[in-house]
Amino acid sequence: MGYWGRILRVNLSTGEIGVDCHDEKFYRTYLGGRGIIAYYLLKEVPAKCDPLGPDNVMVFAPSVLTGTSLPGVSRNSIGAKSPLTGGYGEGEGGGDWGVKLRWAKYDALVVTGASDKPVYIHITENVVSIRDAAELWGTEPYECSGKIIADIDDPKASMAMIGKGGEQHISFACIALGTHNYVGRSGLGAVMGSKKLKAVAVSGVSRPEVADKEKIQSLSKKMVEGYKAGMETMTEMGTARGVPVVNAAGGFPTRNFQEGSFEGFENISGRRMTDTILVDRKTCLGCPVRCKRVIEVKGKQCEVTTNYSGPEYESISGFGSNCGIDNLEAVAKANEICNQYAIDTISAAAMISGALECASKNLLPSELTDGLDLQFGSVEGMLELLIQICEQKGLGKILSKGPQQAVEILGKETEPYFLHVKNQPLPFQEPRWKKGMGLGYAISPTGAEHMANIHDVLYAAEEAPSFAAAKNMGIMEALDPSSLGAPKARLWAYMGVNRSIHNILCICSFMPYNFDQITEAVQAVTGWNISSWEVMKVSERCFNMTRWFNLREGLTSEDDMLPERFHQPLQNGALKGEFIDKDAFRETLDLTYSMLGWDEKTGVPSKGKLLELDLGWMIER
């Protein structure tokens, strides 16, 4: 129950198609998502291999929950060695692609080798084929999807596709799941492009059997009721509903994280979007939240169609406040351009805001800036630089390589302004406000990452409903979001690993599952007598596997550092003057290592910890 025992393999170099068969022990050990990805990458990716070479392996992995009627479990994970960080790469996306793969009677897809010509894969329950994609190469996801649907004659098929960003190996290219969901981080679209794999189309109709239908119905009812109690504004305004709150708290990244509040925040808020350019809402399969924005801008300089989803919080803060822009239509246009080329909105916006600050300090060569208005607040400058990134021209081509490579080309003096961890540009969550999140940025296997991470404000008041999750883990006292020290290290060691389970079971963070309910969901689907302790250990196991992969690829504790910007005070807002003390951060990081069972200075998992997690096979490799 809950799994097929079949993982599809496609070798693009040889054209060979096969199936790996796994038993209950495998699925109970890894569950799905990050677990299956890390397992295959550690087993099959040669150490120090070229991320854009044929030896890299791509893994598309839903979980044992995917494809059931539970709400909020239709996401899937995709992973490979990252061309952006050189280490473990992983991203998650919604929609129904993972569901359709499971309905085609496969638990995951492993793609090896590389084709010498553009191809796409079509997966059905009975036939898997590698098809010519010459006519698809160069198309954007909306056009590509339509052409594939016509080719396979299945309007219900689901697509995982790259755009020109992946084809050109842009370091932060992403993968479109349909046209309203994206696997944004780690540069996985570039890996797909290096394999000449334009798309993976899935046609599936066979739903996996579950062990306890009544329990699933009961859990589903609780989730819908819980969502209505606390998340209805998410349906109304999307993730951008939080803009006014974050701005008032002083944690709204502004002008490349120099400031924490933006004078034009209302003009780019979720409320403004709902009241002006929103025309519809979309959702992932079986989810009541409907957080995807469908927007339209007509007859203006920044015309935007309904082909793709509108901007979410990260895109709004990235192209908006962090670039000093309060024009919602311009932000929506930038978001659409990223979707058309299939590149990560977070990374693109971060690279542009870094360039704007460099320009303000006259650090960019004039031959790269001629004709560009590179001032904070310039809509024309922001959009032109984004087009240059997508089209691989001028300054944009340099920015498309990622922070470290851009600095190598532009000069060491530009380094303080391209903010990253492990070369992954920062998402737009302020770590001087949420210092536990700063710890997560440092420790995350994929570089700066905000989803499988803690948001300190959730644990700032004992009476808050969100604090119940921490109390369930044995944390009894609320913590100031801006604090560091042993209590914050303990919070991250517990709740950071706790939140990683979402990337393993492919659960949306916006559905109000607590840890016990997650365990109940696994029990109801699989019939296993699995405990919350065992689920927690799966999450801890997978977290250690990703750490081990990074160590193998040459990343060390020296890479677990925040940019210098965050050790400097914020210039305005409610948190004016707030900064992260370097010594306190290092001490807290060392304590977190120790609590995770890692060497407190090197961050290397101890032999005892790995053996406790049944990962002795990694040591032997």
Side-chain angles (χ1 to χ4, degrees):
M1 295 289 184
Y3 60 91
W4 300 106
R6 304 167 72 236
I7 291 179
L8 178 64
R9 298 184 66 97
V10 178
N11 186 321
L12 293 177
S13 293
T14 65
E16 182 181 2
I17 296 170
V19 174
D20 285 349
C21 296
H22 292 286
D23 59 13
E24 178 182 315
K25 179 182 176 182
F26 174 84
Y27 291 97
R28 193 157 170 169
T29 300
Y30 302 110
L31 290 178
R34 172 175 287 184
I36 291 176
I37 291 168
Y39 173 86
Y40 273 97
L41 296 192
L42 282 162
K43 290 276 189 179
E44 299 194 10
V45 175
K48 308 298 195 301
C49 82
D50 179 0
L52 299 179
D55 288 338
N56 201 358
V57 174
M58 290 199 77
V59 185
F60 299 70
S63 81
V64 294
L65 300 184
T66 313
T68 68
S69 60
L70 287 163
V73 300
S74 64
R75 298 174 66 80
N76 70 273
S77 298
I78 302 176
K81 182 177 179 180
S82 169
L84 186 61
T85 70
Y88 179 80
E90 176 196 314
E92 283 70 39
D96 65 357
W97 190 92
V99 172
K100 293 297 178 67
L101 182 68
R102 292 266 287 147
W103 288 2
K105 294 191 174 181
Y106 294 109
D107 298 312
L109 165 66
V110 177
V111 178
T112 60
S115 175
D116 57 4
K117 62 181 181 180
V119 295
Y120 78 91
I121 299 169
H122 182 212
I123 301 169
T124 72
E125 185 176 324
N126 300 311
V127 178
V128 177
S129 56
I130 302 173
R131 300 188 175 206
D132 180 73
E135 293 186 3
L136 302 176
W137 208 252
T139 61
E140 63 181 71
Y142 186 81
E143 181 184 1
C144 180
S145 178
K147 287 179 177 291
I148 291 177
I149 285 173
D151 189 36
I152 63 178
D153 193 25
D154 181 5
K156 293 184 179 180
S158 188
M159 315 291 168
M161 304 165 284
I162 58 172
K164 286 178 68 176
E167 295 171 8
Q168 298 175 117
H169 304 174
I170 290 175
S171 67
F172 42 82
C174 60
I175 298 171
L177 300 180
T179 57
H180 290 272
N181 297 275
Y182 285 76
V183 176
R185 315 239 60 200
S186 296
L188 299 172
V191 179
M192 206 163 154
S194 73
K195 295 182 178 298
K196 288 288 196 296
L197 179 59
K198 179 65 175 179
V200 182
V202 186
S203 304
V205 295
S206 297
R207 302 188 181 216
E209 292 187 14
V210 298
D212 190 338
K213 291 182 180 179
E214 290 185 3
K215 184 64 176 177
I216 287 174
Q217 289 174 352
S218 175
L219 272 172
S220 297
K221 183 179 179 181
K222 288 180 182 178
M223 290 307 105
V224 173
E225 291 172 349
Y227 144 74
K228 288 181 178 178
M231 297 291 287
E232 284 191 304
T233 57
M234 183 72 78
T235 300
E236 183 186 8
M237 292 182 283
T239 55
R241 67 178 183 157
V243 165
V245 176
V246 175
N247 190 74
F252 196 38
T254 300
R255 299 179 183 90
N256 203 30
F257 282 94
Q258 295 180 78
E259 305 162 44
S261 293
F262 182 48
E263 64 279 5
F265 76 93
E266 290 182 324
N267 294 332
I268 54 173
S269 67
R271 168 54 59 199
R272 179 61 60 89
M273 191 190 315
T274 298
D275 291 346
T276 57
I277 61 176
L278 184 74
V279 296
D280 199 1
R281 300 174 176 89
K282 287 189 177 291
T283 191
C284 299
L285 190 67
C287 181
V289 178
R290 299 179 69 212
C291 66
K292 296 293 177 185
R293 309 292 89 185
V294 180
I295 63 169
E296 188 172 36
V297 180
K298 291 183 177 180
K300 295 185 178 181
Q301 178 186 8
C302 301
E303 186 167 335
V304 180
T305 73
T306 59
N307 293 349
Y308 301 96
S309 281
E312 299 184 16
Y313 169 84
E314 292 293 327
S315 303
I316 282 174
S317 52
F319 291 117
S321 60
N322 213 45
C323 287
I325 290 172
D326 66 356
N327 183 319
L328 181 60
E329 288 79 11
V331 171
K333 186 62 181 179
N335 182 77
E336 182 182 59
I337 291 169
C338 288
N339 289 341
Q340 289 171 326
Y341 284 82
I343 64 171
D344 178 27
T345 60
I346 295 174
S347 297
M351 294 305 294
I352 290 171
S353 58
L356 295 182
E357 188 170 2
C358 287
S360 73
K361 300 180 184 303
N362 297 314
L363 297 177
L364 300 177
S366 59
E367 63 269 20
L368 293 175
T369 60
D370 282 349
L372 291 173
D373 181 7
L374 298 184
Q375 300 181 71
F376 284 112
S378 171
V379 168
E380 293 77 11
M382 180 271 287
L383 290 175
E384 178 58 32
L385 202 46
L386 178 59
I387 290 294
Q388 284 194 1
I389 289 173
C390 294
E391 291 292 341
Q392 295 289 275
K393 296 178 180 178
L395 177 58
K397 184 175 182 178
I398 296 171
L399 299 180
S400 76
K401 299 178 183 297
Q404 291 173 333
Q405 292 84 346
V407 168
E408 288 176 7
I409 298 170
L410 296 173
K412 189 73 173 176
E413 65 274 14
T414 66
E415 185 173 29
Y417 312 112
F418 292 107
L419 311 180
H420 69 92
V421 177
K422 301 180 181 70
N423 205 38
Q424 175 108 285
L426 259 77
F428 302 105
Q429 306 283 335
E430 174 57 72
R432 286 168 289 192
W433 175 32
K434 298 183 278 191
K435 291 182 180 170
M437 175 160 283
L439 279 176
Y441 284 165
I443 298 172
S444 168
T446 58
E449 199 267 345
H450 65 292
M451 292 304 294
N453 201 343
I454 68 170
H455 290 251
D456 304 62
V457 292
L458 298 178
Y459 316 109
E462 292 177 29
E463 64 274 11
S466 57
F467 188 76
K471 197 168 185 179
N472 185 249
M473 299 294 292
I475 294 170
M476 300 300 173
E477 294 183 1
L479 294 174
D480 183 342
S482 63
S483 69
L484 287 169
K488 188 57 66 78
R490 179 170 176 255
L491 178 70
W492 204 96
Y494 287 12
M495 301 311 298
V497 175
N498 177 304
R499 284 183 62 83
S500 291
I501 197 64
H502 288 77
N503 287 9
I504 297 168
L505 286 169
C506 304
I507 299 173
C508 178
S509 297
F510 299 149
M511 289 305 296
Y513 288 95
N514 62 39
F515 208 75
D516 288 337
Q517 289 167 331
I518 289 173
T519 303
E520 289 176 26
V522 177
Q523 291 169 343
V525 169
T526 63
W528 301 333
N529 63 336
I530 196 167
S531 65
S532 295
W533 167 263
E534 187 179 344
V535 173
M536 189 70 175
K537 284 296 171 182
V538 173
S539 188
E540 192 177 356
R541 179 179 300 117
C542 298
F543 192 63
N544 276 267
M545 290 166 72
T546 60
R547 182 72 177 183
W548 198 257
F549 186 92
N550 279 349
L551 292 167
R552 191 193 75 170
E553 297 306 313
L555 294 168
T556 72
S557 60
E558 294 304 309
D559 297 292
D560 294 347
M561 293 289 104
L562 292 178
E564 187 65 28
R565 164 106 334 143
F566 301 109
H567 302 301
Q568 301 166 352
L570 276 162
Q571 295 179 10
N572 78 347
L575 295 174
K576 183 178 179 180
E578 189 70 41
F579 68 98
I580 299 174
D581 181 88
K582 264 188 185 178
D583 292 337
F585 183 81
R586 181 74 248 186
E587 181 180 352
T588 307
L589 182 63
D590 291 347
L591 283 170
T592 309
Y593 285 166
S594 184
M595 291 179 188
L596 290 169
W598 301 351
D599 183 277
E600 66 176 19
K601 292 300 180 185
T602 66
V604 176
S606 70
K607 181 177 180 181
K609 172 54 65 176
L610 295 181
L611 292 175
E612 183 230 329
L613 296 171
D614 197 22
L615 292 174
W617 59 269
M618 290 196 320
I619 302 173
E620 296 165 3
R621 296 175 70 87

